[in-house]
Structure formats: C-alpha cells, structure tokens
C-alpha cells in the first residue's frame, strides 16, 4: 500500500526522499512522486511506474533542489495509476503539497463542496480534497489550517504537508494509518515504516491516532487533536540496515525463506527458561476463557488455521478461526469469556484492526501476535507477543507466517500449563520438540535440492491443487496462497476428503496435485485420494517424511521433510512449499518480491 516519507534538514531533500521511497517499494505501489520547497516555491515530480523512473526524471533528485520535502509511493485506490493521480498533490495557488496514505471516505462530499467554491481538481483521487482544504483554511497560520482541514476528514490518513510560505517546516497528521517520526541531529524525518528511517536514525517517535506534529530541522513538536503540545517518548529502533537488505540473495523472499530457522529460534529462545515457557508480558487467566477466536487476513489467517489444531489439542478449549474481513461484520458471538487472538505481521492490516476493535467492544480481551514493534495492533490489543522475525520485505510472507505459528505453539503450551491439560512429562517433551524446530526447518531446506528441477517441470501448469487433511490441509491453504501470489498460477487448496464432492471433476491428464502427507494420523486416507486423482491422470507431487516408502512409491515426484513432533509439524512442512512457489515464480519470470496488484501492508479495507 502507499508509503510516505519526509525530510527537513540541511541536506538536499530529494535524494534522501528517493532513497526512503526505495526502502518502501516493498509495500507495493504503482506510481511515485516527490515535492521539495525552495525559495517559497514547491517543485513536484511524479511518475507512473517504478521509482527508478522518478530517479531518472529528476536526475537522482538533483533537479529539485531544496532541503525540505515529502515523497510518496501510491497503490491506486481512487483513480488509475497515472502521473496525474500520483502524489504529491498541490493546491491551486501552489502554496501546499500533500502526500497521503489511507482513504478519505467523505471525499465525494468534500469534492463537491470545494468544486462549488471554485477549486479546480486535477486528479481523480480522494487525496486531492486535502490540499484544497488547506488552501481554503489558510490565513497565514499553517498549524491552524492543518487542524481545520484534518477536522473535515473522515477515514484513515497519514499525511505529510508542505507550505511554500514556511519552507523549513512539515506538518504530519495521523489517523488510523501508520506514521513514525525519525529524530535526527539538525534534521528530522517521517515515514510510514521504520525501514525508510533506519539508514538515518534509530530514534523514533510513534504518533497515535488523532495526533499531529510539526517538524523543522531542529525540532519536533507533537500536538494532540486539540492542538495542545504533548511530550512523546523517543523509542529505539532495533532493526538494523542489513536486516532490510538482500544480503547477496537474488530476492528478499529467498533470503527470508532461508532466514526462517534463525527467526524461529529468535522467537522461541528467549521464551524458554529452565524447560518452562515464560511469557512475561502475559497475565491472562485462562480459567476465565471458554472460547478462543483467532482472526487475521491472508497468510496470517492461515497461520491461525494451522495453530488452531495445536491450541485445541493442548488446551481442550474450542478454537474458532475467522477471516477478519468477515468477522468485523458478522455480529459475532463474543463476550468477556472469549480470548481473541489477532495475528498480523505488519500490525497495520485495516480489516484485522477493525475486527479487533469490534471484538473488544463486545468484551473480549485480545492477544496480538505481531512482528512490527509499536504498530497499531500491538498498541490497541490488551496483550502482545512479538514474533521477532526482523523486517520482512518480500510481499509474500514466509518468516512472518512461520514465526506467527511458532508463537501460537508457545502460547498453546503456556495456556495448557495453566489449565493443567498436559501431563508434566508430555509438557517437557513438547518444550524440547519446540526447541528442535529451527534445526528441522534447516533440514527441510537442505533435503530438497531438487526443487528448482521440479519447478522446471511444473511451471507451465495453468492450475494446481494442494490437498491434505487436518494439519496438512491447513498447510495446503498457505502453500496454495504462496504459489498463486508470486507465480500467478491458479492454485487451490482442498481438504482431500472433499475432492469427491466436486473438485475431482477438474482433474485431467497431467493436472498437478500437490499432496501433503505429513500428518500420519490421516496419511492412509490421503493416499486413497492420491490413488483416485492418479487414476484420472493427475501428476502427483507429494510431501512426506523421507522414510514413508508407501508414498514414495505412489507419487510421481517427492518433497521431503524430517520427522517432527506432529503437533508442530506445519511450521516445518510449509518450508519446501515456499521454496517450490519461489522457484516456479522464478521460472515464470515473475517479479517475486513485488507481485502485481499486491501490497505488503493492506491498510485499507
Ligand atoms: O501484515 P498482516 O500479517 O496482517 O498481513 C495479512 C495479509 O495481508 C498477508 O499475510 C498477505 O496474505 C500476504 N501477501 C501473504 O503472503
């Protein structure tokens, strides 16, 4: 989704803005632009397409001199991805420029009102109303105009605003969209996420909804919505620059797949002390909980689907998984005895935030499992466990998913311990099994060197079916999503037992079927399904333990897994499927880290 950056200091702003925008590319975008103030004039440059085009157009920023500026990557919502619709937008009198991340819900009414008052609109965007409101309300007081304009807006917005009359100043405003201030020495920054800040500063101020701030090279002043100055703590950004770079890998996605053993270890290690799961940040009384509801979107939802099995098995509490985009409108049966678990890598997903708020309103306490420190979900949930995966840059999540699942396992053991649903010996052996996961994930990477060759065989396919039962089915959901989002091959996951109820009609000669056979309580059943699809001509690529000779002799091709504690197996099982999707996408020449139409952080509904 859209990304915004801003700089005010003594350097030329444009190159700093372009570098910052490059760091935000991973969020997904289709046009980009920057605006810089100099000599009481705002100069703007925008392009449809990639930031490389903007660098070319501005000669790497040298054509826009000036030391204060704002920049934007746009993921089109209102209006096509064109130069005109790209941000920054400027007021008719040229006095203001605005970048915006989010959606202005009442823009049609505002547009009508402003048009009647004689303001001329250049673009089809919702954002443009903001800049005309600034012009309308400006009577020599920049701050006052910011407050008046923002008070007219409904929806979600993180704004960066320039005024040609005050060339060393930027106002930023936050309402339901991420915005972080970077505190420098003689220079200050803002951005939608820390990846654009870490090259310059580790000191950050996180704005809350309704707050706005005034940035000059030497000061940052934050205000509450009434315009009263407030003091905000300065937080330290722990992510380092290398963590957000490719480090010799061809793609971020490959790097992040390979990082998983380390990421999972970083998630587990500090939380096991003397053989016990210690979750210091939690004081949930599990005896008051009669139901757990897990909600999230996309892969995070699928992590919830896989984690549900562990939670139910270990805690003996009913667990329901709900898509956040559905739950928020479902009039859900949730009360103060419900524990809501919210999963989100970014912590900024709009539907997940809305579902969380709706469930809290109904009395549920919410536990967030989040990767991005200080993100909205981390802040509004009642409890938060971080996944410690480090920055995830590829749009397709890998280590985000596996670390979410790992935290669900940690929580399941913590809750089971409290509830007394696990015998001591079993608890201890599961804690040991958890510690083995990083090693087993590494083995899953090492024991499948044939994946690039398999990708050459399967990459021409028009569609693929991923089948499995129980936990294998939950992993199939994520395996199919990985395949479709980066390779653009239609991929569908099916509970293997459901094939006969419809989908088998689609099986034809050479149809690829990826059969997940790692849950041995049901593999005999899945094997029957393999036989059925093979009888209709399907080509079966099975995923199983290397010593499972029955499956090896049945399938056309194999992916292997090391033996893993069955309850935790999904976190290892997904790894070869991520790698398969990666290599198929590579064969198909896809833009793996930035798949078309997708955004990393979906901050609009
Ligand atoms: O940041 P979140 O975990 O809340 O994001 C949820 C989904 O948008 C995300 O998992 C999406 O499905 C990914 N593209 C999957 O790879």
């Amino acid at each position: 989704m859209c990304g915004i950056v801003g700089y005010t200091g003594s350097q030329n702003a444009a190159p700093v803005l372009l570098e910052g925008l490059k760091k935000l590319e991973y969020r997904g975008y289709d046009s980009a632009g920057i605006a810089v103030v100099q000599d009481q004039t705002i100069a703007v440059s925008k392009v449809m397409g990639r930031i490389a085009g903007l660098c070319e157009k501005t000669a790497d920023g040298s054509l826009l001199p000036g030391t204060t500026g704002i920049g934007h990557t746009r993921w089109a919502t209102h209006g096509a991805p064109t130069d005109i619709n790209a941000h920054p937008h400027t007021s008719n009198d040229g006095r203001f420029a605005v970048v915006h991340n989010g959606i202005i819900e009442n823009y049609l009414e505002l547009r009508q009102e402003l048009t009647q008052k004689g303001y001329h609109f250049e673009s089809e965007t919702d954002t443009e109303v903001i800049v005309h409101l600034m012009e309308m309300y400006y009577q020599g007081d920049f701050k006052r105009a910011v407050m008046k304009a923002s008070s007219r807006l409904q929806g979600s917005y993180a704004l960066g605003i320039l005024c040609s009359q005050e060339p060393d100043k930027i106002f930023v405003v936050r309402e339901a969209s991420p915005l972080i201030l970077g505190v420098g020495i003689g220079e200050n920054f803002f951005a939608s996420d820390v990846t654009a800040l870490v090259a310059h500063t580790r000191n950050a101020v996180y704005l809350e909804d309704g707050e706005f701030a005034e940035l000059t090279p030497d000061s940052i002043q934050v205000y509450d919505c009434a315009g009263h100055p407030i003091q905000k703590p300065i937080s330290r950004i722990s992510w380092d620059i290398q963590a957000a770079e490719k480090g010799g890998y061809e793609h971020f996605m490959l790097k992040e797949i390979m990082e998983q053993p380390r990421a999972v270890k970083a998630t587990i290690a500090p939380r096991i002390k003397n053989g016990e799961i210690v979750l210091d940040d939690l004081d949930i009384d599990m005896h008051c909980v009669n139901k757990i509801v897990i909600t999230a979107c996309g892969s995070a939802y699928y992590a919830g689907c896989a984690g549900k099995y562990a939670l139910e098995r270990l805690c003996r509490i009913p667990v329901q998984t709900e898509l956040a985009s559905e739950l928020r409108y479902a009039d859900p049966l949730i009360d103060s005895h419900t524990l809501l678990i919210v999963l989100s890598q970014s912590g900024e997903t709009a539907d997940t935030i809305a579902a969380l708020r709706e469930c809290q309103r109904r009395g549920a306490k919410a536990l967030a499992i989040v990767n991005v420190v200080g993100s909205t979900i981390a802040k509004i949930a009642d409890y938060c466990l971080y996944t410690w995966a480090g920055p995830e840059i590829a749009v397709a999540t890998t280590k985000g998913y596996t670390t979410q699942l790992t935290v669900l396992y940690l929580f399941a053991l913590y809750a089971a311990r409290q509830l007394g649903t696990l015998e001591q010996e079993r608890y201890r052996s599961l804690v040991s099994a958890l510690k083995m996961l990083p090693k087993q994930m590494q083995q899953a990477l090492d024991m499948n060197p044939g994946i690039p060759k398999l990708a050459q065989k399967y990459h021409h396919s028009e569609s693929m079916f991923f089948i499995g039962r129980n936990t294998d089915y939950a992993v199939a959901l994520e395996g199919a999503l990985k395949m479709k989002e980066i390779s653009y091959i239609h991929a569908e996951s099916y509970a293997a037992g459901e094939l006969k109820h419809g989908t088998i009609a689609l099986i034809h000669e050479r149809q690829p079927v990826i059969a997940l056979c790692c849950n041995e309580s049901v593999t005999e059943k899945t094997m029957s399904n393999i036989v059925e699809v093979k009888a209709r001509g399907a080509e079966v690529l099975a995923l199983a333990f290397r010593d499972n000779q029955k499956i090896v002799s049945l399938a056309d091709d194999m992916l292997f897994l090391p033996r893993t504690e069955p309850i935790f197996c999904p976190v290892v099982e997904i790894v070869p499927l991520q790698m398969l999707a990666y290599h198929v996408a590579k064969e198909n020449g896809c833009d793996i880290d930035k798949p078309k139409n997708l955004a990393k952080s979906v901050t609009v509904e």
Side-chain angles (χ1 to χ4, degrees), residues 408-466:
L408 282 175
Y409 295 153
L410 283 161
F411 177 73
L413 283 169
Y414 158 92
R417 183 71 156 163
Q418 215 191 94
L419 291 165
T421 47
L422 267 184
E423 280 173 12
Q424 176 73 6
E425 206 174 310
R426 178 77 175 128
Y427 174 80
R428 290 226 176 265
S429 89
L430 285 172
V431 172
S432 303
L434 207 55
K435 289 204 268 189
M436 296 296 290
L437 290 175
K439 192 168 160 217
Q440 287 157 347
M441 292 172 95
Q442 188 57 52
Q443 287 168 343
L445 286 166
D446 296 341
M447 68 205 302
N448 290 293
I451 290 179
K453 260 228 146 66
L454 288 171
Q456 282 168 8
K457 173 173 175 185
Y458 287 102
H459 80 105
H460 290 302
S461 314
E462 277 184 7
S463 73
M464 293 184 185
F465 291 101
F466 286 67

Side-chain angles (χ1 to χ4, degrees), residues 297-300 343-347 349 395-397 404 481-482 485 602:
C297 299
S299 292
L343 303 174
S344 177
Q345 187 285 129
S346 63
T349 302
V395 165
T397 183
Q404 282 164 354
L481 180 64
K482 282 289 87 77
E485 70 180 336
V602 184

Side-chain angles (χ1 to χ4, degrees), residues 527-586:
M527 278 164 59
S528 309
N529 301 120
I530 293 178
V531 174
E532 286 157 9
V533 293
K534 275 191 72 69
R536 285 151 183 91
E539 195 96 28
V540 173
L541 168 57
L543 172 57
F545 301 120
R546 194 191 280 279
D547 55 6
N548 193 330
Q549 284 311 318
K550 279 192 194 162
I551 294 176
V552 174
S553 59
L554 203 57
D556 298 282
D557 295 298
M558 287 299 303
L559 293 168
F560 293 112
L561 268 206
R563 285 212 165 260
T564 305
E565 158 59 47
I567 291 189
F568 305 142
C569 189
V571 84
V572 183
E573 193 174 348
I574 191 61
V575 174
L577 298 180
Q578 296 166 339
M579 207 51 136
L580 179 70
Y582 172 80
H583 282 286
V584 169
K586 199 171 155 194

Side-chain angles (χ1 to χ4, degrees), residues 323-332 350-352 354-355 358 362 605:
L323 287 163
S325 53
E326 290 293 319
L327 183 66
R328 62 185 292 189
Y329 298 120
D331 190 11
D351 282 320
T352 310
E358 178 57 28
R362 289 166 190 254
E605 184 176 354

